[in-house]
Each structure stands twice: as C-alpha cells, then as structure tokens.
Amino acid sequence: MEAVFSNFGEYLDAFGVTLALFAVSGLASMVLGLVLATMRVGPVSVLRGAAGLYVTVFRNTPLLVIFIFMAVAAPKLGYTFRFVEDVEIAGWNVSAYFTRACIALTLYTSAFVCEGIRSGVNSVQLGQAEAARAVGMTFLQSMRHVILPQAGRAVIPPLASVQIALAKNTSVAAVFGMAEATATMRAFNNNYADQRVQIFLLFALGYIVIVEIISFGSHMLERRAKVA
Amino acid sequence: MRRMKLGMAAVAVLLAGSLTACGEAGDDDNEGVDVDVKEDAAEDFDEGTRMRELAEEGKVTIGVKFDQPGLGFKGATDDAPSGFDVEMGKILAADLGIDPENIEWKETISDNREPFLEAGEVDLVLATYSITPERRAVVGQAGPYYVTGQQLLVRADSDIDSLDDIRGTEVCSVTGSTSLENIKAEGATPRGFDTYSECVSQVLDGAVDAMTTDGAILLGYAAEQPDDLKVVVEPFSEERYGVGYSLDHPEMCEWINETIEESFENGQWEEAFNLTLGEAGVETPEQPELDPCPAS
Amino acid sequence: MRLAGVQKHYGNLHVLKDIDLDVARGEVVVVIGPSGAGKSTLCRAINRLETIDEGEILLDGQPLPQEGKGLARLRADVGMVFQSFNLFAHKTVLENVTLGPIKVRKKSKAEAEARAKELLERVGVAHQAAKYPAQLSGGQQQRVAIARALAMDPKVMLFDEPTSALDPEMIKEVLDVMVDLAERGMTMIVVTHEMGFARTAANRVVFMADGAIVETTNPEKFFTNPESDRAKDFLGKILKH
Ligand SMILES: Nc1ncnc2c1ncn2[C@@H]1O[C@H](COP(=O)(O)OP(=O)(O)O)[C@@H](O)[C@H]1O
Ligand SMILES: [Mg+2]
C-alpha cells in the first residue's frame, strides 16, 4: 500500500495517461467506426467492399501486432509521426508516441465500433429506409435522420462493451513507450518487490473504476433512449 | 522481435564471416577465449565441496541471458550463446576441468535468477547480475567481475554527449526498469518497451533520441552496429556484475573469486572482454576490486 | 407517366414481363391481381426502389435518372404509400410529415409545419400531430402516411395495398381520403382489391398475373364481365369471400 500512497501523484498521472489514451482513441474510433458502418451499409459497392476489408483486417489482427506495426515497423518505414511534436494543444505538447498509440488503438477499435453500429442499423426495419428514400432522402440523409437515430438504442450496449475493451486495451501501450497505468505498475513492482500484491490490487482498482464509470454512463444513455 | 533476433544473428554471422575471411582472430571466433581446461581438476578441491562434485561429474549448468548481445546472446540458429558473461562462465568451468562443450547453458531472465539458484536448476548465474544487498540476502554473489553503469546509446550522428543534453528528449528502455526511472529523474521522457531489441530499433529509426540501461548491454548493441550506434556519457550509476551461486554451497565464493583473480592475471579476462564487448571499440576497463567473501 | 417494355428478373424469376403502361395526368389506375403477380415490384420499379433490367419509365416525358441526387429528387416527385405504413417510428406525426419537405425540399420549418397541419387536417388526424406513430391506430397511421407523401407535392401517388393491413372498420377512413384525393385530380396508381374504390374512383383497371399485364379495362366491365380466363378465375376467388 505504502508503495502506492507515497507515490500517489505518479499513480494518478499514470491513470491520467490511460484516460487520455482512452478518451482520444474512444472518440476517434467512434467517428471512424461510424464512417465505416455507413460505408458498409451504403449503396456504393466499392466503399462497401473497402469497409468490409477494413473490418476483416483490423478485427482479425491482434492489437499487439497493430501496435508493433505502428511503433516498430512504421518508424522503420520512415513514419515516426514526430511532426506532431510541433503541435501544441492547450499547453500540452502532443508526442509521437501518444499519437502512434492512439492510431493503433483507433484502427483496432473502430472495426468493432463499425460492427456494433452495423448490427444496430440492421435492427431497424427495412421499411424505415424505404420510406425515407421514398420521400426523396439521399442515403446519407436517411442514415442521419431516420436509421441512425433509431439504431441508437440498439447500439449502446455493444458500443459500451467495445469502449470497455478499449479502456483495458490501452494497457498494451505500456510496452510501446507510454507511461500509463500498467507501465507504472511494473515500475512500482520493480522498486517495491515486497508489496507486489497490494500494488496489483490498487492498479486493478483503478481500471475497475474506469470501467464502472463507462458502464454506468452507458446505462444512463440506454435509460434515456428508452424514454424517448 | 523474433525478426530482430534473426537480424542480429545475421549480423553476428556476417561479422564472424568477415573476421575469418580476413584471417584475423586466429582460431574460430565462435569459440571465444582459448581456455586452459585443467586436467585432473577434481584433485584440487577438497572432498565434499561442490566444486569437487562438479569436477567429478564433468559438467556444470550455467544461467546466462540469451537476449543481450555482447554479454549473453543466443540467436535462433546458434548452438551456444556468446558474450562476455558466457566467456567468464567458460573460464570458471575450465578451472573445474570442464570443457566448454560440457557446459549446459540455461536462459535466465531477470525475474528467475534467484529462483533458479535456490532450486538448484543452475549451478552458477552470469547474467548481467548486479550485486545488491537484497539479492545477497537470498543467494550468493561473488565478484564483481565487471563494473558498469547506466549510460546512453545514441545514433552515431547524434549530438547528445552529456546527461544535460537529454533533458526534454525521449529515452527508451525496458518498461518498469530502474534505468527508466533514473532517466526520468534526469528530465527525459521515459519510453518503455518490452525488450531491449525493440528499444534499439526505436533509436535506429529515430523514434527516440536515446536508449538507456547498463553500459555493458549498450556496448553489446553498439558492437553489432558500430557505424550506426555509439555509447555516450560517463556511467551515472554503478552496476557491479557478480557470479550468482547458491547459499547452500558457500565454499564456492572463494573459488569463484580466486578464479576471477587468476583470469585478471593471466590475461584471459581481458581477452574475453576484447572478443566480446571490446568489439565496440571500448577500451578494456579497469579490473574491478572483488568483494571479500562472507565469513562462513 | 409512361412505362415501355419494362423487364425485371430476380435471379431466374421473371417478375415483370414486358410491361407497357401509360397513365395520363389526373388519371387513377387500379392494379389488381393475385399475390406474387408483381404488383408491388411494379410500384417499387416506378419509384426506383428497385432497378429494372430493360425498358424505360418516363415521368413527364423525362426518363428516370439512374442514381444520386437526381434520383432522390424523382422519388420526391413520386409519393408512395406502403402496405405497412412505415412511419418514422422515432418522430412525431407532425415531424413525419415535415421531415421530407424540410430536408429534401429545403422548406423552412414554419412553412413545412403550416402545410403539414393543413394536410393532417385534410386526412383527419390533425389532433394527433404531437403523438408518436405507435400511439395511433392502423387507419390513422396510414392516413398520416398519405399526408407525409402529399407534403412533398408529388406528381404521382403510388399506393401498394394501402388497406390490406387494416382492420375492416378502418379501411373506409383510408379509402375516403383516397377518393377525395382522386377527386382533386391527383394522378394515382393504386394496388388494391377494394372493388368499391375501383368502381368509384378508378378510370381504368389493370389486371396483372405472373408478371404480365393480362388485361386493361374500365372498372365496371372488369368486375362484371372480364375478358380473360385468368381474371374470371381470380374474381371468382375474391368474390366468394
Ligand atoms: N427481393 C426479392 N427477391 C426475390 N424475389 C422477390 C423479391 N421481391 C419479390 N420477389 C418475388 O417476385 C414476385 C413478385 O412479387 P411482388 O411484386 O411482391 O408481387 P405482388 O405484390 O403482386 O404480390 C414474387 O414471386 C416474389 O416472391
Ligand atoms: Mg405486394
């Protein structure tokens, strides 16, 4: 216990990095996943095929392999993403490592987001899309105004599990340059070999809190969607 | 990672090939130090000592690292590991009258060195095994046979040449390691990886500014790619590599220390260094002063 | 509006066989025929919810655009009423009627709502404007669906069995709205088995079977003395009920 409490600032910083990875990749994967899902159910066969291929590739590739690609292979090919280091957001300097980790997490997670949204879209009756088209809406208009709002409730539970998985998956970044919670846990373990169990429990607790917050949020959203 | 190891093995093979082609290094490079295997070594040890047992059995099991070039490294296609730790192991075995062929090399990683010694899985550990009071509470550590310290590995064209230069830069090492903590204290952003080889590739690709860990380990990597990598700055910590043995056999300490002293005197220690870590073009370090063995 | 030589297949199934059909402005055509004859497919082809393999479909002398914005505009000009209503489940009755005009016709919200209220009044569900579709009876839902189609100011209205999902007591309220529409001069293609409607409102009856138009006559003659055996046989079956 003492190992963590006497270094509590470090503990919080570590979970701060975990949360930052989660927030950025979570948001980006929702956006990319929505675009992919729209392509996948849309009328343009080239886009349908491209989105299908994307899902096949990134859903079936282990996250670790994607990380290795982004963190080890991409720099070898000359893509270090160090140019992002010139970017400053609200006094924070964006690091190339953070960027690459977020890209890896987003590439992976958006494949699952896409499938979650697609299953929600499929749960909406076909007649709704036909009625939308019959009043002259384009495909995108019908997605935006008719299909997605109705898919909303059906997509909340699957998307919540995807985001929960993402929150835990950020730990892979521990061995790709990010000093997030899991990496910091390892450092604590190295320094305080006699307190390994307590260190483990306190870090596990941090993850449990994050996941509980996500599932609480998703329940609230679901309740609201049910009322509407 | 596997690919990295293969890559290193390929480099090692090329290196060996080129050396042989030049006709240098006389005997086969893979053989390392020309050890004098003692005849009838068992006679030299008292009845009941572990050394006598090993000498009579004619074989010994030694734990080394398999992933640290220059110290203990075994490529996927290699029959036996190579490196400074390995050479020191051969010198010790030779004193027991054991031929290098009869040494069983076991891979030990940082986490299992004490358990292996305590369980008798290995007789000796020479695996970048820093001497610390905590470790000496559970196992024996004779030596040190080599003193190193945390240093920096940078690209050959890097401007970094003092600790001050790394403030505000990104430096990689193994996730959770003490080296990473130390470099953070020096004002660098720590970047943790699973293995040293991944970290080296980050340096080579320009994804980080430097890598940090014990200088000996860094020298091994620099030796593999002397045109691309170099080791800089004075060691800013002290790591004293010792030979691990089981506390069940405290008599081994004196023997290990004597054998190390002997290798200092007859030039084998220096030869072992030059053939391995010395490849990086680093001068042979001073011979360290050995700790006295605990009174038994 | 005109269909000429229209052919459509679903795999091996030939669902529309060489369909020729002219519908003049203000004309009301009732399409009748056994289940599986291809009536729905015909409606959907006219609205391009389905593509056709051959032939052409002209609206106001213009061929149907193949895809994209032009097609969306065409669909806006052709109103469609489905058997299963297909009201937007997450929108109120009023929003169902205003969504198309606002998003497709780019009308202002106020303008769209004024017009929507007028139409809802006309089909007799004005007082339900704030409710969601699920809170309405089938007959009310279908009348809202008609208002939704009318809100786009279509040139043609297609009805695909608009009353067959309704309880008998609700059929009349929907048919009354349709008769009223016919009297106001709307061009209509109506798939229905409601003889009453055909007799009062239709100018012509088209009898379809097995993907082809078998006969085209006036309603009176069709119901009393059809020419084809297929039609006689079919009428025999439905009149028994
Ligand atoms: N999407 C489809 N795929 C394959 N066959 C279809 C499809 N839609 C309709 N059909 C077939 O086409 C034929 C005509 O169907 P339809 O136009 O719905 O007939 P109707 O409305 O006159 O009952 C039927 O045999 C039906 O099974
Ligand atoms: Mg039908």
Side-chain angles (χ1 to χ4, degrees), chain C residues 39-40 81-83 142 159-165 191-193:
Chain C
K39 308 178 297 292
S40 295
V81 176
F82 301 86
Q83 181 176 342
Q142 193 62 299
F159 294 82
D160 187 3
E161 307 202 28
T163 57
S164 36
V191 177
T192 185
H193 296 162

Side-chain angles (χ1 to χ4, degrees), chain A residues 71 82 95 97 174-175 177 187 190-191, chain B residues 175-176 178 181 191-192 202 206 208:
Chain A
R82 286 195 95 161
S95 80
Y97 277 90
V175 289
N190 185 45
N191 292 347
Chain B
T175 300
T178 315
E181 300 262 294
R191 295 298 178 193
Q202 296 291 301
V208 292

Side-chain angles (χ1 to χ4, degrees), chain A residues 10 68 71-72 75-76 80 82 85 95-98 100 173-179 182-183 186-187 190-191 196, chain B residues 1 3-4 111 155 170 172 174-179 181 184 190-194 198 201-202 205-209:
Chain A
E10 242 182 285
I68 291 174
V72 180
K76 204 148 252 126
T80 58
R82 286 195 95 161
E85 286 165 12
S95 80
Y97 277 90
F98 184 76
R100 283 191 303 245
V175 289
F176 294 93
M178 294 310 299
T182 300
R186 286 210 205 173
N190 185 45
N191 292 347
R196 287 191 180 200
Chain B
M1 206 185 87
R3 214 175 45 109
M4 285 299 302
D111 283 349
R155 285 183 299 285
E170 294 179 308
C172 68
V174 167
T175 300
S177 64
T178 315
S179 314
E181 300 262 294
K184 190 174 157 194
R191 295 298 178 193
F193 278 81
D194 218 11
E198 282 170 324
S201 86
Q202 296 291 301
D205 301 334
V208 292
D209 304 288

Side-chain angles (χ1 to χ4, degrees), chain C residues 39-57:
Chain C
K39 308 178 297 292
S40 295
T41 309
L42 181 70
C43 285
R44 296 163 61 81
I46 292 172
N47 206 8
R48 263 259 191 284
L49 289 174
E50 301 285 355
T51 55
I52 55 172
D53 303 334
E54 266 176 59
E56 55 178 358
I57 301 174

Side-chain angles (χ1 to χ4, degrees), chain C residues 20-35:
Chain C
D20 294 311
L21 182 67
D22 277 285
V23 182
R25 184 162 305 192
E27 198 178 11
V28 176
V29 174
V30 162
V31 180
I32 203 164
S35 173

Side-chain angles (χ1 to χ4, degrees), chain C:
Chain C
M1 99 153 290
R2 170 192 212 114
L3 286 78
V6 172
Q7 309 272 6
K8 166 140 190 101
H9 296 80
Y10 281 124
N12 287 332
L13 193 69
H14 199 171
V15 278
L16 293 180
K17 296 177 185 159
D18 199 17
I19 303 287
D20 294 311
L21 182 67
D22 277 285
V23 182
R25 184 162 305 192
E27 198 178 11
V28 176
V29 174
V30 162
V31 180
I32 203 164
S35 173
K39 308 178 297 292
S40 295
T41 309
L42 181 70
C43 285
R44 296 163 61 81
I46 292 172
N47 206 8
R48 263 259 191 284
L49 289 174
E50 301 285 355
T51 55
I52 55 172
D53 303 334
E54 266 176 59
E56 55 178 358
I57 301 174
L58 304 171
L59 185 67
D60 272 353
Q62 302 288 320
L64 296 194
Q66 289 304 305
E67 56 199 18
K69 284 252 156 65
L71 178 57
R73 212 173 304 120
L74 163 106
R75 290 211 189 99
D77 283 345
V78 179
M80 177 123 182
V81 176
F82 301 86
Q83 181 176 342
S84 48
F85 330 134
N86 292 347
L87 291 180
F88 304 133
H90 62 305
K91 299 273 183 200
T92 63
V93 164
L94 187 68
E95 288 165 344
N96 261 275
V97 182
T98 57
L99 189 63
I102 292 172
K103 299 299 171 194
V104 179
R105 295 279 193 229
K106 308 291 178 206
K107 286 193 184 173
S108 73
K109 192 167 177 235
E111 196 187 345
E113 283 185 354
R115 171 84 173 131
K117 282 179 183 149
E118 196 182 302
L119 288 167
L120 288 172
E121 190 75 47
R122 197 162 120 194
V123 300
V125 285
H127 53 294
Q128 316 278 20
K131 289 190 179 166
Y132 284 90
Q135 297 169 288
L136 267 54
S137 74
Q140 289 169 330
Q141 287 192 54
Q142 193 62 299
R143 285 183 282 149
V144 173
I146 293 171
R148 176 175 71 180
L150 289 174
M152 302 301 293
D153 296 319
K155 294 174 179 158
V156 185
M157 286 280 285
L158 306 174
F159 294 82
D160 187 3
E161 307 202 28
T163 57
S164 36
L166 297 177
D167 293 337
E169 72 269 23
M170 293 172 189
I171 292 178
K172 187 173 177 302
E173 64 192 46
V174 172
L175 289 179
D176 286 348
V177 168
M178 291 168 61
V179 169
D180 173 61
L181 204 54
E183 280 166 0
R184 286 165 183 254
M186 174 60 76
T187 312
M188 293 162 72
I189 298 176
V190 184
V191 177
T192 185
H193 296 162
E194 294 297 332
M195 273 190 293
F197 174 79
R199 284 191 148 121
T200 359
N203 303 100
R204 268 191 294 159
V205 170
V206 170
F207 177 68
M208 272 184 87
D210 294 332
I213 294 181
V214 178
E215 74 176 275
T216 307
T217 39
N218 69 60
E220 205 46 52
K221 176 157 189 305
F222 180 77
F223 288 111
T224 51
N225 185 21
E227 276 167 26
S228 62
D229 293 341
R230 286 298 306 261
K232 279 179 195 144
D233 187 44
F234 172 72
L235 283 174
K237 277 179 191 148
I238 63 164
L239 291 178
K240 259 181 220 146
H241 290 291

